[in-house]
């Protein structure tokens, strides 16, 4: 046979072509062309595997590899080739391009394999690369937060719970709290890459390849460290994509918290942070406005990242075993989520690095004596009182101060002693901002020494990962 009736990958048993609208509907090339570099790599490895089982000669493999190189170059040189192609999907595109280059020899390339395993292999390679690049971006944000923590070391911040003044902390401690969250995201990304790292080639459409190809060699060739264990599972498993989307949703959720804090801190009410011009926009009406749109958009885009995870989970729910065409719906949400989170991380890292803090304002607000009321209870505990009793007395003292309309630290000592005779001048001296911070140098605490150690630890962890930006 030297000719075929059309260039389709599956036309033989059909009398009529597909309905026009349906045909448009089922095509995936408009988005899966993004996997072309991986598809070409899989073709290189697969043809070597076919040589191993005697389907192709060494000379044929050389010809095919040279053709794949030319296709690679042409893709890079002529973007319109992809835009204008009428290929159904990236596998069809590649086969057509090979036929154009090689004629009937190209028809041998698909021996023993299926698009089901091809698309799984391509998508796994994409996720491995994507997760690695996302780790670099997340690490850059962790670095930006750590650098700011280092720069502002010693500056206090009125720590809050329930958005109410709680206890003093260091601004650096706050920044490192965000850095910790993104460090966990690094681990999740690593897990997603690991879960993608298994080569499905040799699984066939579902039953495994009928030619005894060397699956280990195929995996090695493609940069996978292992092979998938079950051909039926391999053509339908998208857990690696779920893992990646979960990692992205985690990053987006953490970014939305950083965004919310940043929007609040830049507000006139807080006035802690000065928004960098580079990451703000103005108002078309109010000349004085500088709006934190970068953070608002980051916070806002979190919705679609979460939705991408839900979208794939919903697609996968209730699918029978084996490959189903539903699985084609896995790529668009993942590509979109990947692109958005990449941009979100880059912008967040830039905005964090360029944010300036108003340290006078931070110090003034952190000087609120209400933040030191727990210190008073603790001072009473150090004088032998049970904590619950000390808490009650400190509360009564705070209430008396409220009644007298002054900070509790400015109550006359005799008024304090009427409520709690155990309080003396030494106890009051224990209730300062500096003393409060200095008592919290235990690991993980907000004392300056502890925070300095935390910065060092974070940097060591980052460089061990080899993920420093
Ligand atoms: N375009 C399909 C997908 O993304 C890949 C191949 C389809 N396989 C098939 N037997 N129709 O999942």
């Amino acid at each position: 046979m030297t000719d075929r009736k059309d260039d389709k990958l599956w036309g033989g048993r059909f009398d009529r072509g597909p309905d026009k609208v349906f045909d448009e509907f089922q095509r995936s090339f408009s988005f899966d062309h993004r996997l072309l570099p991986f598809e070409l790599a899989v073709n290189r490895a697969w043809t070597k595997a076919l040589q191993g089982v005697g389907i192709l000669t060494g000379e044929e493999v050389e010809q095919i590899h040279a053709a794949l190189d030319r296709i690679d170059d042409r893709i890079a040189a002529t973007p319109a080739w992809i835009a204008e192609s009428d290929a159904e999907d990236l596998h069809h595109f590649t086969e057509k391009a090979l036929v154009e280059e090689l004629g009937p020899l190209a028809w041998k390339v698909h021996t023993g394999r299926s698009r089901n395993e091809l698309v799984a292999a391509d998508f796994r390679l994409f996720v491995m690369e994507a997760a690695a690049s996302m780790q670099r971006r997340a690490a850059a944000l962790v670095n930006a937060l750590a650098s700011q923590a280092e720069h502002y070391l010693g500056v206090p911040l009125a720590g809050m719970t329930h958005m109410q003044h709680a206890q003093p902390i260091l601004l650096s401690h706050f920044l490192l709290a965000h850095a910790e969250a993104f460090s966990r995201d690094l681990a999740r990304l690593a897990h997603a890459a690991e879960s993608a790292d298994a080569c499905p080639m040799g699984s066939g459409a579902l039953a495994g390849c009928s030619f005894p190809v060397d699956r280990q060699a195929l995996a090695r060739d493609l940069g996978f460290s292992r092979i998938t264990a079950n051909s039926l599972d391999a053509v339908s498993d998208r857990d690696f994509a779920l893992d990646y989307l979960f990692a992205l949703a985690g990053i987006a959720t953490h970014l939305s918290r950083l965004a919310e804090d940043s929007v609040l801190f830049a507000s006139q009410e807080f006035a802690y942070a000065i928004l960098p011009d580079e990451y703000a926009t103005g108002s078309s009406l109010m000349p004085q406005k500088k709006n934190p749109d970068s953070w608002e958009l980051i916070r806002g885009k979190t919705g679609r990242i979460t939705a991408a995870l839900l979208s794939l989970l919903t697609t996968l729910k209730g699918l029978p075993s084996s490959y189903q065409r539903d699985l084609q719906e896995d790529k668009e949400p993942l590509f979109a989520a990947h692109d958005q989170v990449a941009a979100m991380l880059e912008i967040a890292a830039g905005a964090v690095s360029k944010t300036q803090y108003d340290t006078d304002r931070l110090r003034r607000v952190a000087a609120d004596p209400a933040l030191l009321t727990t210190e008073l209870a603790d001072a009473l505990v150090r004088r032998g009182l049970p904590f619950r009793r000390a808490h009650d007395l400190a509360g009564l003292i705070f209430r008396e101060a409220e009644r007298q309309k002054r900070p509790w630290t400015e109550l006359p000592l005799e008024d304090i002693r009427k409520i709690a005779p155990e309080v003396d001048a030494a106890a009051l001296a224990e209730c300062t901002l500096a003393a409060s911070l200095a008592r919290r140098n235990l690991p993980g605490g907000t004392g300056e020494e502890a925070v300095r150690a935390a910065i060092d630890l974070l940097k060591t962890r980052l460089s061990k990962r080899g993920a420093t930006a």
Side-chain angles (χ1 to χ4, degrees):
M1 188 179 91
T2 54
D3 213 1
R4 297 179 62 238
K5 80 175 180 194
D6 61 31
D7 73 356
K8 274 207 164 46
L9 301 184
W10 45 266
R13 60 104 62 229
F14 283 79
D15 289 332
R16 297 180 304 281
D19 172 82
K20 262 185 108 142
V21 177
F22 166 62
D23 191 41
E24 236 359 271
F25 183 69
Q26 60 109 23
R27 287 168 176 276
S28 54
F29 191 56
S30 62
F31 53 89
D32 68 16
H33 68 79
R34 188 160 178 174
L35 298 174
L36 269 171
F38 307 110
E39 176 86 358
L40 298 184
V42 173
N43 270 302
R44 286 190 186 92
W46 184 251
T47 43
K48 276 203 256 170
L50 289 181
Q51 181 187 351
V53 292
I55 306 281
L56 293 170
T57 65
E59 201 180 308
E60 286 173 327
V61 170
E62 267 177 42
Q63 284 178 45
I64 294 167
H65 286 203
L68 288 167
D69 290 345
R70 289 194 296 276
I71 292 168
D72 225 349
D73 293 344
R74 189 172 154 199
I75 289 170
T78 349
W81 189 25
I82 286 172
E84 286 157 17
S85 166
D86 63 351
E88 177 180 323
D89 59 22
L90 82 156
H91 321 295
H92 186 209
F93 175 89
T94 310
E95 187 164 313
K96 264 157 53 103
L98 277 172
V99 171
E100 237 180 79
E101 291 280 343
L102 302 167
L105 170 58
W107 297 340
K108 288 189 171 183
V109 173
H110 205 56
T111 309
R113 74 179 192 186
S114 156
R115 285 184 291 170
N116 302 351
E117 59 183 333
L118 267 178
V119 79
D122 296 347
F123 203 26
R124 281 171 176 275
L125 289 168
F126 176 88
V127 167
M128 283 159 72
E129 200 177 283
S133 82
M134 205 58 78
Q135 275 185 287
R136 287 191 289 277
R137 287 168 191 274
L141 176 57
V142 174
N143 270 329
L145 287 161
S147 303
Q148 287 285 60
E150 215 165 10
H151 181 77
Y152 286 102
L153 193 59
V155 177
L157 170 72
M160 292 188 293
T161 62
H162 314 270
M163 291 308 286
Q164 300 285 316
H165 275 196
Q167 293 179 315
I169 59 174
L170 288 182
L171 172 62
S172 303
H173 198 55
F174 158 86
L175 293 165
L176 290 182
H178 283 290
E180 278 304 318
F182 294 112
S183 303
R184 288 192 293 279
D185 292 326
L186 287 174
R188 285 184 184 163
L189 289 169
H191 171 74
E194 216 177 279
S195 121
D197 182 10
C199 184
M201 292 309 294
S203 299
L206 77 164
C209 184
S210 66
F211 303 94
V213 289
D214 184 346
R215 293 196 62 206
Q216 300 290 354
L218 260 166
R220 266 198 312 278
D221 254 18
L222 287 167
F224 287 107
S225 57
R226 62 200 162 97
I227 60 172
T228 54
N230 177 299
S231 61
L232 186 59
D233 176 51
V235 294
S236 59
D237 172 21
R238 293 295 182 272
D239 289 357
F240 61 95
L242 285 178
D243 287 340
Y244 187 48
L245 283 169
F246 182 68
L248 295 182
I251 294 173
T253 304
H254 291 149
L255 279 171
S256 75
R257 176 164 59 198
L258 176 61
E260 175 65 7
D261 281 344
S262 304
V263 168
L264 286 174
F265 282 12
S267 71
Q268 285 69 29
E269 280 65 31
F270 277 86
Y272 289 169
I274 301 148
L275 265 178
D277 280 7
E278 294 89 330
Y279 295 97
T281 61
S283 156
S284 61
L285 189 139
M286 299 162 281
Q288 86 286 5
K289 291 294 291 292
K290 183 158 85 170
N291 296 326
D293 294 34
S294 53
W295 290 120
E296 292 169 278
L297 280 168
I298 286 171
R299 192 178 53 193
K301 281 175 190 289
T302 301
R304 45 167 134 177
I305 313 305
T306 315
L309 172 61
L310 277 177
S311 164
L312 184 56
L313 278 168
T314 310
T315 296
L316 295 175
K317 182 200 171 290
L319 282 190
S321 299
S322 188
Y323 179 82
Q324 321 296 330
R325 192 63 182 276
D326 313 45
L327 292 170
Q328 181 168 298
E329 293 297 310
D330 57 0
K331 283 171 275 306
E332 282 167 293
L334 188 136
F335 290 158
H338 169 80
D339 292 341
Q340 291 293 336
V341 174
M344 287 155 77
L345 278 173
E346 186 173 336
I347 289 161
V352 162
S353 302
K354 287 204 151 63
T355 295
Q356 285 184 335
Y357 287 91
D358 183 340
T359 55
D360 291 341
R361 166 81 182 159
L362 282 157
R363 283 181 212 285
R364 252 192 336 273
V365 178
D368 173 11
L371 292 161
L372 300 167
T373 320
T374 313
E375 304 312 299
L376 177 58
D378 287 350
L380 290 171
V381 165
R382 282 190 288 273
R383 280 155 186 78
L385 267 70
F387 176 72
R388 192 47 60 209
R389 175 95 187 115
H391 184 284
D392 280 347
L393 294 176
L396 287 170
I397 290 166
F398 189 79
R399 202 174 67 183
E400 174 59 17
E402 263 189 347
R403 203 185 58 77
Q404 293 189 24
K405 294 193 182 2
R406 51 172 115 188
W408 76 264
T409 47
E410 282 169 29
L411 279 177
L413 185 57
E414 67 261 26
D415 287 2
I416 294 179
R417 290 174 65 101
K418 260 187 240 153
I419 299 168
E422 295 83 354
V423 177
D424 53 17
L428 290 181
E430 290 166 26
C431 301
T432 64
L433 173 60
S436 163
L437 290 170
R439 267 192 297 274
R440 287 176 167 77
N441 272 315
L442 74 173
T446 195
E448 192 168 324
E449 287 321 305
V451 171
R452 196 189 304 278
I455 295 172
D456 290 345
L457 217 67
L458 187 64
K459 283 186 171 166
T460 321
R461 259 171 25 213
L462 270 183
S463 61
K464 266 205 198 123
R465 221 172 234 292
T468 32

